[in-house]
Amino acid sequence: MIVAVDVGGTFTDFVALDEEGRLITFKLLSTPKSPEAAVINGLSRVGKIGEVLHASTIGTNALLGQVGLELPKVALFTTKGFRDVVEIGRQNRPRLYDLYFEKPRPLVPRELRFEIEERVLADGTVLKEVDPDEVSRHAKTAADAGVVSVAVSFLHSYINSSNEIKAGEVLRRYFRYVSLSSEVAPEPREYERTSTVVVNAALMPLVGRYLEELGKYVESLGGRLYVMSSSGGLVTVEEAVRKPVHLIESGPAGGVVAAAEFAKMLGLPKIISFDMGGTTAKAGTVVNYEPNITTEYEVGGEAHHGRLVKGSGYPVRFPFIDLAEVSAGGGTIIWRDEGGALRVGPISAGADPGPVCYGRGSTEPTITDANVVLGRVAQLLGGEMRLDSQAATKAFKKLGDPVEVAWSAVRLANLEMARAVRLVTVERGLDPSDFVLFAFGGAGPQHAAELAEELGVRTVVIPPEPGVFTALGMLFADSKFEARASYPKDLEEGYRRLEESLATINPTYYVRLADVRYQGQGWELVVPVGRPAAFEEVKRAFEEKHLATYGFKLDRPIEVVTIRVFAVVARRKPKLREPAAVGEPRPSYRKVYFGEWIDTPVYNREKLPLGFKLEGPAIVEERHSVTVVPPRWRLEVGPAGALVLRL
């Protein structure tokens, strides 16, 4: 049996696929202070296990300062004269007029940054070789200071890594965890590369212990553990421990992968992936069945309406599925500011105590409570979790008329989520009205149709098992390993060398990408590269993307800064069962608020036959989610049981 586990801020989701192709799904409340507790509890219920596919937020949570996930002492070994690069940074001020703004605390204090007299020139020439005795002397000082993990970032090591490799050989005599920038992020830009390797070194002991302990538990059950990476592929525990930056956006990537695979089944080449869970809502785009990839990210920083605020966190140069995230989940708290204006988020009720309607002691109303007050949601977990609508209504009374406040809060949440979608569409040169909205997560189907109207999208798809769809997505994911190099002298030869370095994993196929810019530009765009790699084809792809993204092209030469290869090992995909072809479901009825109270039919999704159609308003309930069909929308049950909503 294959089991996929997605640890979220509110629930930990489990999807198991047995040998006969049947899906077993369930949710447990997350245990944020000990995330492995909920994972082990769930796995103990499954039975015999072959593989466990795991998405974890432990890396992100540690960098955000979660209690119980303290980062270890880290040392940085760098070229003489460059010890302060990681602290000076880019001098970005996230809040320009805030006189009290403080930059993020450096992950390595100044006294643990050691300068080494070595030098590699920009063309790769070694001007001064590293002295092993000097490295050893500083290593002893670091070890005496309690350092457990070391980052190495030498000047121009992305062109010639020989000095870093020699330093690493010495450091491994003293430390178990050693991270080289030439292995983690072989790219130019000294600050971003150094920041990436420091983040990697800081996470290595924490992620290593967590995954190694969980891996041993899985092995005791007869299985093997794989981890979802931020780029949308599965990696081994060994790869994740060596490069824990893989895991920073581990969880959200699974949902986009599932959406891409499901879109392929339905023949929909352009989709918006919309994942609304208990804590946040996340949006991404899939074009021609491939998720969009970005190579820059700031972990542990601030977000403003879904946009990462540059300079507020720790830059990481690594492949990530391009996502925008906002604080608008089912557990997001609704409140009024000092001026009396209604606000939604960013604070979340989380898993404990959760929304008021859960009956776990909370008194602050949330988005889930708003949907309960409006009659849209009446139960969770197939009726196992009854919701207290009276308590939710009482919580809203301190903000005003409960129904009016709940209705306004839902619309405010939809506006906030629309901003996130526009970040990954309009700001990438894409028109959201050309796309189909794929909505999932426990709360996503409740808001999908009204969100689509806000965006000008006329078709919405609610896939099977939307409440655990991110975990389901890991069952569709292939194994994926990445290699990269900077400033290749010959494109095709450069790609061949990267593919040869990954050949031992016996990939099914390779994916080629390139980071390209106009000469003189400060940042690159990522474009696909064909076989054989032709410079003119790369230039054409880059200029098309530049025009779509920024609205103009330049009469200027281009340069390929970094080439990267993904080696993909295809895995067997689960086959989802088609719904019954016949049946006449009988709904129950309850009052639901759509600007006015309407007596609304309520259907059980499991009893809807293939091809079944209905006119909104309607409610479709299932074990882990609820789909809201507003007035004017039509619903049809499509292939694999997908609910297709059209305006």
Side-chain angles (χ1 to χ4, degrees):
M1 184 177 291
I2 303 174
V3 185
V5 186
D6 175 35
V7 179
T10 306
F11 287 102
T12 296
D13 300 340
F14 295 82
V15 175
L17 179 71
D18 67 17
E19 295 177 355
E20 297 178 5
R22 290 174 299 192
L23 289 177
I24 303 165
T25 65
F26 60 95
K27 285 176 175 278
L28 298 176
L29 284 170
S30 293
T31 50
K33 293 182 180 179
S34 302
E36 70 281 359
V39 177
I40 291 172
N41 184 10
L43 292 177
S44 67
R45 301 183 181 192
V46 174
K48 188 176 180 182
I49 291 174
E51 292 179 345
V52 173
L53 316 178
H54 182 36
S56 172
T57 56
I58 185 171
T60 304
N61 293 346
L63 290 164
L64 288 172
Q66 180 176 304
V67 176
L69 294 176
E70 284 76 20
L71 293 172
K73 265 193 175 183
V74 179
L76 171 64
F77 284 65
T78 190
T79 304
K80 186 174 182 180
F82 290 84
R83 70 187 292 193
D84 294 322
V85 162
V86 74
E87 186 166 357
I88 294 170
R90 291 287 173 192
Q91 292 300 289
N92 294 330
R93 290 187 64 84
R95 297 187 295 275
L96 190 59
Y97 301 107
D98 184 355
L99 299 178
Y100 302 100
F101 167 72
E102 292 184 7
K103 296 184 68 174
R105 177 182 57 85
L107 294 176
V108 184
R110 197 168 194 269
E111 65 271 15
L112 293 179
R113 301 178 213 147
F114 300 97
E115 296 183 328
I116 304 298
E117 284 203 56
E118 64 81 41
R119 194 59 178 257
V120 174
L121 301 181
D123 63 358
T125 302
V126 178
L127 185 65
K128 182 174 178 56
E129 290 191 3
V130 70
D131 180 359
D133 292 336
E134 183 187 14
V135 176
S136 182
R137 187 168 62 253
H138 289 309
K140 290 176 183 176
T141 303
D144 291 341
V147 167
V148 297
S149 185
V150 175
V152 183
S153 181
F154 290 161
L155 203 63
H156 303 307
S157 63
Y158 56 89
I159 290 289
N160 185 339
S161 60
S162 59
N163 275 357
E164 275 198 1
I165 291 171
K166 289 176 183 175
E169 290 171 353
V170 175
L171 290 169
R172 287 189 174 95
R173 301 175 199 160
Y174 297 89
F175 305 99
R176 178 183 176 186
Y177 302 105
V178 177
S179 187
L180 308 182
S181 75
S182 54
E183 294 179 352
V184 177
E187 299 183 31
R189 294 195 183 89
E190 209 65 21
Y191 168 55
E192 285 77 13
R193 181 161 55 86
T194 304
S195 175
T196 302
V197 74
V198 166
V199 168
N200 196 70
L203 293 178
M204 283 179 85
L206 191 66
V207 171
R209 283 194 298 270
Y210 172 76
L211 290 180
E212 286 167 2
E213 289 176 9
L214 187 58
K216 288 178 183 177
Y217 177 77
V218 172
E219 287 177 7
S220 73
L221 299 177
R224 186 176 181 189
L225 180 65
Y226 293 89
V227 186
M228 172 60 70
S229 72
S230 304
S231 62
L234 295 166
V235 296
T236 60
V237 170
E238 295 76 19
E239 177 75 1
V241 171
R242 191 169 66 91
K243 297 181 183 178
V245 287
H246 270 303
L247 273 62
I248 288 173
E249 282 291 283
S250 170
V256 184
V257 169
E261 286 290 337
F262 203 76
K264 195 180 294 183
M265 293 182 198
L266 301 179
L268 300 172
K270 298 173 77 171
I271 68 165
I272 296 166
S273 164
F274 171 64
D275 177 4
M276 184 180 178
T279 308
T280 60
K282 296 162 281 286
T285 52
V286 176
V287 178
N288 294 327
Y289 312 115
E290 289 293 334
N292 281 352
I293 298 290
T294 184
T295 58
E296 56 180 283
Y297 190 79
E298 283 203 17
V299 63
E302 300 174 11
H304 180 68
H305 296 309
R307 181 184 285 105
L308 288 171
V309 180
K310 289 192 175 182
S312 65
Y314 306 105
V316 172
R317 296 285 290 180
F318 216 77
F320 291 82
I321 286 182
D322 191 9
L323 289 166
E325 186 169 351
V326 292
S327 298
T332 299
I333 291 173
I334 300 160
W335 54 288
R336 289 194 185 274
D337 61 21
E338 293 178 355
L342 194 67
R343 305 288 295 274
V344 176
I347 300 172
S348 172
D352 189 11
V356 176
C357 61
Y358 284 11
R360 296 168 62 89
S362 178
T363 59
E364 301 293 330
T366 66
I367 295 297
T368 294
D369 293 311
N371 281 303
V372 169
V373 168
L374 298 175
R376 299 177 172 207
V377 180
Q379 62 181 31
L380 290 176
L381 305 182
E384 292 178 16
M385 190 173 184
R386 303 297 302 183
L387 302 178
D388 189 341
S389 61
Q390 290 185 345
T393 301
K394 182 179 178 181
F396 273 108
K397 283 184 178 178
K398 62 185 177 183
L399 301 178
D401 179 86
V403 174
E404 289 182 5
V405 173
W407 179 242
S408 297
V410 166
R411 287 182 293 171
L412 281 174
N414 290 339
L415 286 172
E416 185 72 5
M417 293 183 289
R419 288 191 181 103
V421 173
R422 290 188 179 104
L423 285 179
V424 294
T425 52
V426 176
E427 290 200 9
R428 304 293 189 267
L430 304 171
D431 183 350
S433 64
D434 294 336
F435 286 71
V436 172
L437 183 70
F438 263 60
F440 50 94
Q446 298 166 28
H447 294 257
E450 291 163 342
L451 173 62
E453 285 193 63
E454 180 67 32
L455 295 163
V457 173
R458 301 183 65 84
T459 304
V460 173
V461 172
I462 311 298
E465 300 290 350
V468 293
F469 195 63
T470 294
L472 179 63
M474 285 183 273
L475 298 178
F476 286 97
D478 295 322
S479 296
K480 187 185 289 187
F481 300 85
E482 187 243 12
R484 66 188 115 155
S486 295
Y487 295 114
K489 292 183 173 64
D490 179 274
L491 269 184
E492 181 59 29
E493 179 62 23
Y495 280 112
R496 268 204 300 268
R497 288 184 179 180
L498 291 179
E499 290 171 357
E500 287 171 3
S501 72
L502 295 167
T504 55
I505 65 172
N506 297 318
T508 310
Y509 62 93
Y510 296 100
V511 175
R512 295 177 168 187
L513 299 171
D515 299 1
V516 189
R517 67 186 180 193
Y518 286 116
Q519 287 183 6
Q521 277 187 323
W523 300 95
E524 301 83 42
L525 291 174
V526 181
V527 298
V529 178
R531 311 177 73 90
F535 185 82
E536 287 302 317
E537 287 298 311
V538 171
K539 180 180 179 181
R540 181 186 58 78
F542 166 75
E543 291 192 327
E544 286 179 357
K545 188 164 186 176
H546 198 281
L547 179 63
T549 305
Y550 301 115
F552 67 93
K553 294 190 295 186
L554 296 175
D555 185 16
R556 186 180 296 178
I558 69 162
E559 59 181 346
V560 177
V561 178
T562 302
I563 60 173
R564 61 186 77 240
V565 166
F566 286 105
V568 181
V569 181
R571 296 168 57 90
R572 183 174 64 90
K573 308 291 191 296
K575 290 185 178 180
L576 301 179
R577 291 185 173 184
E578 296 285 347
V582 294
E584 190 59 44
R586 293 184 178 181
S588 59
Y589 286 83
R590 69 169 178 257
K591 296 286 187 182
V592 181
Y593 194 80
F594 294 98
E596 61 178 335
W597 289 104
I598 300 175
D599 200 24
T600 303
V602 180
Y603 292 89
N604 183 331
R605 182 172 183 174
E606 293 180 0
K607 296 180 180 179
L608 299 183
L610 184 66
F612 177 78
K613 298 178 182 180
L614 62 81
E615 298 277 341
I619 300 292
V620 180
E621 294 182 335
E622 55 188 297
R623 181 169 177 77
H624 301 304
S625 190
V626 174
T627 298
V628 175
V629 186
R632 301 190 303 123
W633 283 82
R634 305 181 309 278
L635 178 146
E636 181 177 355
V637 179
L643 303 182
V644 182
L645 283 68
R646 294 185 175 91
L647 184 62

